[in-house]
Structure formats: C-alpha cells, structure tokens
Amino acid sequence: SKAQLSDDGGIGLTLVGNALRALGSIGLARPIMAGGVCADHIRLCDPAGKVLLEQPSKGPWGEGLPGHCSVSRRHLHATLVHEAQARGVKIRTGVRIATSVEAGAGIEVRFSDGSMGHYALCAAAEGLFSASRARLFPDVRPAHCGQASWRAAVRRPQGVDTSEIYLGGKYGVVGICPISESEAYLYIVEAADEQHREDEATLHLTLRRRLEGAYQGNIPALLEQLTDPARVSYRPLPGLIAPAPWHAERTVLIGDAAHANPPVL
C-alpha cells in the first residue's frame, strides 16, 4: 500500500542457485546477475581473519549459472520493475486488497480505493506480514526465531570477491557481503530476545563497539566507515512456514507470505 515504489527496508541480499534458476526461467537471471557479484564459493574465516575454507556453492542450477549472486536491493528492484513494465504489467501503488470473493471461474477483488477487478488468480506476495494471509489463514502468524541481525552499508573491500564469513568468536556469525563493484554490507547474526531494541540514533556507534577488537581480517577497516546511523539497521528475526496447502481457493501465498526463514546459511 506504499504511495510509490521504493527501496527502503534493506541493503542487499544473496540469491542462491535455485533462485537464479527460477529467475532464469522467465529471462531475468542475466539482467540481475549483471549488476551483482557472482561466485561459486563462500570464504569462511576464523575471528583472526585466517581463511579456514573456500566452501563451494556451485550446484546443478543450469548452464552458466553461478552458485550464488549477491545484489543490492536497489538493483534487484529496478530490474524487476523495468522487466515487468516492458512486458506490459501495470503496477499500481497506494492501494491494498480490502476483500476478495470467489466469483465463477475467477476471483473478484475490491481494493482500498474502492475500485474492483476480476481475475483468474490472486497471488499474495505481500511479505512476512501479509494481510491476505491474516485474512484467509488467521491462525498462521510469524514467530520470533531467537535471533536478530545487524546490517551496515559499507564500501566493498579490495579482494573481497564473495561472501566472507567469520565463524566463532564473540558472535555466532559476522560477515561481509559484496553486492556490486563498489558496495558491500557488514552484518552480524546474533542471539536476541524478541523484545530487545536498539537506539536508532546510535546504531553505528553500538555496532562499532560490539565488533572492535573482536574480529580481524577486513572487519577493522570497515568499522571506520560506520559514521551514519541511517546506514545501519538492527532487526529481530521472525520466521514462518505456513502449513500446506498455501492457498485458499483462488488465492495463493507465495514468497515470505508462505515461508520466511532467518537470513542465515
């Protein structure tokens, strides 16, 4: 129901091989990969920065597809919007589904602005807090998974050509994910209480304080870049896997509306 398309709410993400294969089936893998960082391995390090293993990520995904591709949300969203509009898809903003009723061989949808439409199928791709799921499956709700994530936008360190994950030490997982030629994000996945929150005005200072002296390798240089709280996010991680079937008559749940896992490997 946003008034306009925007990229707020995230920095970047990694599309693994099966996601790239799915995107390839509709001709979108190549345009997305062109603006991301593709690799066939993940670099695992100890807290001192010593490389422990180059873990392969290559799989049977298809000809020319890498093990994974990390991209900025900005590039991913722009590519999806461009390709959709080029194929004649009409994108409306500022509205949401108010009600939906089965009607003959289709579904009749009333929108929040009072307009209506008749469709063969309604795909509820509304994310973790899907209003359609809440309406059709009121007993299916997200639950806290016991973790939270920190993410900070940083410049891509020289030589970091794939996700670099530091295992052990003060936190469970600390990582660097390159998402373009010049961009990356630094992150922590840690145990956290569902009710815990951090002061948004000092997120950059708190993240620096947590990591200073605890990890070496490429981490210390990135901490010097943490000067703006707007470029750092902290979020408790809810999760959900809806029971089958993921549909109610002609409305089907897809994406995080149906299955949302914590962003860990």
Side-chain angles (χ1 to χ4, degrees):
S1 59
K2 290 181 178 180
Q4 59 186 11
L5 296 175
S6 66
D7 297 312
D8 60 313
I11 300 169
L13 72 162
T14 296
L15 300 168
V16 293
N18 56 341
L20 294 171
R21 180 173 60 191
L23 289 164
S25 70
I26 55 173
L28 293 183
R30 302 297 172 188
I32 290 170
M33 288 162 51
V37 178
C38 299
D40 287 322
H41 68 281
I42 297 170
R43 184 170 299 114
L44 304 180
C45 305
D46 67 11
K50 178 184 177 181
V51 177
L52 302 173
L53 179 68
E54 298 277 354
Q55 174 69 45
S57 61
K58 187 69 175 174
W61 312 122
E63 183 67 29
L65 290 179
H68 66 275
C69 180
S70 299
V71 297
S72 69
R73 287 185 178 271
R74 182 184 64 255
H75 169 67
L76 175 63
H77 293 172
T79 302
L80 295 175
V81 170
H82 176 269
E83 292 292 332
Q85 292 177 330
R87 300 177 192 197
V89 175
K90 297 179 181 179
I91 299 175
R92 298 173 62 192
T93 58
V95 296
R96 55 180 173 78
I97 294 175
T99 61
S100 58
V101 180
E102 304 299 313
I107 182 170
E108 192 171 84
V109 176
R110 181 183 296 275
F111 297 97
S112 57
D113 64 355
S115 62
M116 298 184 66
H118 190 86
Y119 307 94
L121 181 72
C122 177
E126 302 161 305
L128 184 62
F129 301 102
S130 166
S132 296
R133 188 193 63 236
R135 187 171 66 252
L136 299 171
F137 305 92
D139 296 331
V140 179
R141 301 182 181 92
H144 183 59
C145 74
Q147 296 177 312
S149 70
W150 291 82
R151 298 193 182 203
V154 293
R155 294 186 298 276
R156 178 178 170 180
Q158 186 174 4
V160 176
D161 55 0
T162 186
S163 287
E164 190 170 279
I165 301 175
Y166 295 73
L167 300 174
K170 188 176 180 181
Y171 300 102
V173 176
V174 174
I176 303 167
C177 183
I179 55 177
S180 74
E181 289 186 0
S182 60
E183 301 167 293
Y185 64 87
L186 171 68
Y187 65 90
I188 305 175
V189 178
E190 63 181 11
D193 182 84
E194 180 179 8
Q195 304 303 320
H196 180 72
R197 296 292 185 272
E198 294 284 345
D199 184 350
E200 294 191 2
T202 57
L203 287 175
H204 59 309
L205 301 176
T206 304
L207 183 55
R208 287 184 65 164
R209 185 170 62 250
R210 287 184 173 229
L211 293 179
E212 280 177 339
Y215 295 88
Q216 300 306 312
N218 287 299
I219 302 295
L222 296 184
L223 297 185
E224 297 178 5
Q225 299 181 31
L226 303 182
T227 58
D228 182 359
R231 292 175 63 81
V232 180
S233 69
Y234 172 85
R235 295 185 177 181
L237 298 176
L240 173 144
I241 299 180
W246 291 345
H247 67 88
E249 298 179 337
R250 290 185 175 271
T251 298
V252 60
L253 306 178
I254 67 174
D256 280 1
H259 53 91
N261 297 315
V264 295
L265 296 174

